[in-house]
């Protein structure tokens, strides 16, 4: 493969597919490079996506791919090792050894959830181990929910109390709540369990309890954790764009690649959208960001097309 496209979209999640759809409908030559490992694959359903509430993630992506193909967009399975600027665009090296060229890049590579090192957490993440109440709170409403303590433990416990009256904060390795925080937790009937969490108790593939280092088991059917959300920014780093820390309530919760409101980065010709640029974006927000970036990117291409046409006309001596 050694072809040239108007736009190469790196990453085929909601942001990438949304951008590819808009660009294909704008009659641009578009290639989407995707390795088929979406971040939300473990989740059973997508929520808060108006008109698609409860759709399985794989179905949403399959439908999106079909729509992009319907307007002439192309796909290749794989990853992008690196990208380099050339005089008239970018050279994109694929992990399978191929090379493609693009006038512009839209990078939608998402992020990696770096989970707490507690046995059972990774295996149940996206099912009974959760992090976002807006994504999963309704599904565990009124159930016994635990919160694994950390820098954001108290904040999460107080938030999840909106969905269930049975919330337990496991202090684990997190800081002890302040006097003010203890008063808030007590006022909301949230219990605090001291001690390090050793592992999760699982029966038939479902969470049944949280085991402490001393051997005690506290029955729970859902556990809330706070992953570190790390931007998948390798290809952007090869272009000179580094991820920066994202803070929340004075704590670093992850990293992202800076861009303007339309997704344009500090490197001309490179746009970003979705979780690589906004680690708090849910699926519908990522899709919207992909559309916005595509519109800005296409406007940039239109301006370049006009400049090239004027220059060609002048060179030909046409007045």
């Amino acid at each position: 493969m050694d072809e040239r496209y108007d736009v190469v979209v790196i990453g085929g999640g909601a942001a990438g597919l949304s951008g590819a759809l808009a660009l294909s409908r704008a009659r641009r030559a578009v290639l989407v490079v995707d390795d088929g490992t979406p971040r939300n694959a473990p989740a059973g359903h997508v929520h808060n996506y108006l008109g698609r509430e409860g759709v399985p993630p794989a179905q949403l992506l399959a439908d999106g791919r079909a729509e992009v193909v319907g307007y002439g967009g192309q796909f290749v399975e794989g990853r992008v090792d690196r990208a380099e600027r050339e005089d008239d665009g970018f050279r994109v090296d694929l992990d399978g050894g191929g090379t493609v060229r693009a006038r512009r890049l839209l990078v939608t590579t998402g992020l990696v959830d770096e989970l707490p090192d507690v046995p059972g957490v990774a295996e149940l993440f996206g099912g009974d181990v959760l992090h976002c109440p807006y994504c999963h709170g309704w599904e565990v409403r009124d159930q016994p929910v635990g919160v694994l303590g950390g820098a954001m433990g108290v904040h999460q416990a107080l938030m999840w109390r909106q969905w269930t009256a049975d919330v337990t904060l496991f202090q684990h390795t997190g800081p002890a709540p302040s006097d003010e925080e203890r008063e808030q937790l007590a006022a909301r009937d949230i219990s605090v369990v001291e001690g390090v969490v050793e592992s999760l108790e699982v029966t038939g593939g479902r969470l049944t309890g949280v085991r402490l280092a001393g051997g005690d088991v506290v029955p729970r059917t859902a556990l809330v954790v706070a992953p570190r959300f790390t931007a998948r920014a390798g290809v952007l780093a090869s272009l000179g764009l580094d991820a920066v820390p994202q803070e929340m309530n004075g704590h670093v919760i992850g990293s992202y690649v800076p861009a303007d409101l339309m997704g344009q980065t500090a490197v001309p010709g490179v746009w970003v959208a979705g979780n690589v640029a906004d680690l708090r974006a849910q699926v519908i927000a990522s899709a919207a960001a992909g559309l916005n970036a595509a519109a800005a990117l296409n406007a940039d291409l239109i301006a370049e097309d006009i400049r090239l046409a004027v220059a060609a006309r002048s060179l030909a001596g046409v007045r």
Side-chain angles (χ1 to χ4, degrees), residues 46-298:
V46 172
H47 297 292
N48 301 311
Y49 201 126
L50 188 63
R52 301 302 301 273
E53 170 61 27
V55 63
Q59 185 62 55
L60 182 67
L61 296 184
D63 292 346
R65 277 177 167 251
E67 291 169 354
V68 172
V69 170
Y71 288 103
Q74 299 180 44
F75 288 82
V76 62
E77 183 176 349
R79 295 189 180 191
V80 172
D81 285 336
R82 61 179 289 106
E84 296 180 2
R85 174 172 288 285
E86 295 185 331
D87 291 341
D88 57 350
F90 300 90
R91 169 192 167 108
V92 179
D93 295 332
L94 307 178
D95 62 353
T99 298
V100 294
R101 286 173 170 80
R103 296 171 65 189
R104 302 290 187 274
L105 297 179
L106 175 55
V107 180
T108 60
T109 43
L111 60 80
V112 174
D113 296 290
E114 296 182 4
L115 299 171
D117 186 18
V118 174
V121 165
E123 292 79 3
L124 295 181
F125 188 61
D128 294 335
V129 174
L130 315 166
H131 79 277
C132 173
Y134 297 102
C135 300
H136 304 287
W138 176 264
E139 283 63 45
V140 298
R141 65 194 184 280
D142 299 327
Q143 295 182 29
V145 172
V147 175
L148 187 66
M152 301 295 293
V154 172
H155 169 80
Q156 287 181 299
L158 291 169
M159 177 173 287
W160 278 81
R161 177 60 178 80
Q162 173 64 27
W163 282 264
T164 177
D166 188 354
V167 177
T168 296
L169 171 61
F170 296 92
Q171 190 169 315
H172 191 47
T173 59
S178 66
D179 291 342
E180 181 182 5
E181 290 171 334
R182 286 191 183 278
E183 183 176 5
Q184 293 172 342
L185 293 166
R188 293 293 280 160
D189 296 319
I190 298 171
S191 59
V192 179
V193 175
E194 296 181 354
V196 174
V197 171
E198 183 177 81
S199 63
L200 303 187
E201 293 289 297
V202 181
T203 303
R206 301 302 303 270
L207 177 67
T208 57
V210 175
R211 178 177 292 276
L212 301 172
D216 291 340
V217 176
V218 180
R220 297 286 93 180
T221 59
L223 181 69
V224 176
V225 300
R228 184 181 178 92
F229 306 111
T230 301
R232 289 182 174 176
V235 64
L236 291 164
S238 72
L239 291 163
L241 291 166
D242 294 323
V244 300
Q246 172 75 62
E247 291 190 5
M248 181 177 179
N249 296 339
H251 303 289
V252 175
I253 62 172
S255 61
Y256 71 100
V257 175
D260 68 13
L261 290 177
M262 299 300 285
Q264 187 169 11
T265 70
V267 173
V270 180
W271 273 257
V272 291
N275 287 142
V276 72
D278 181 2
L279 54 83
R280 290 172 289 193
Q282 294 188 38
V283 178
I284 193 170
S286 291
L291 171 60
N292 287 339
L297 191 159
N298 187 56

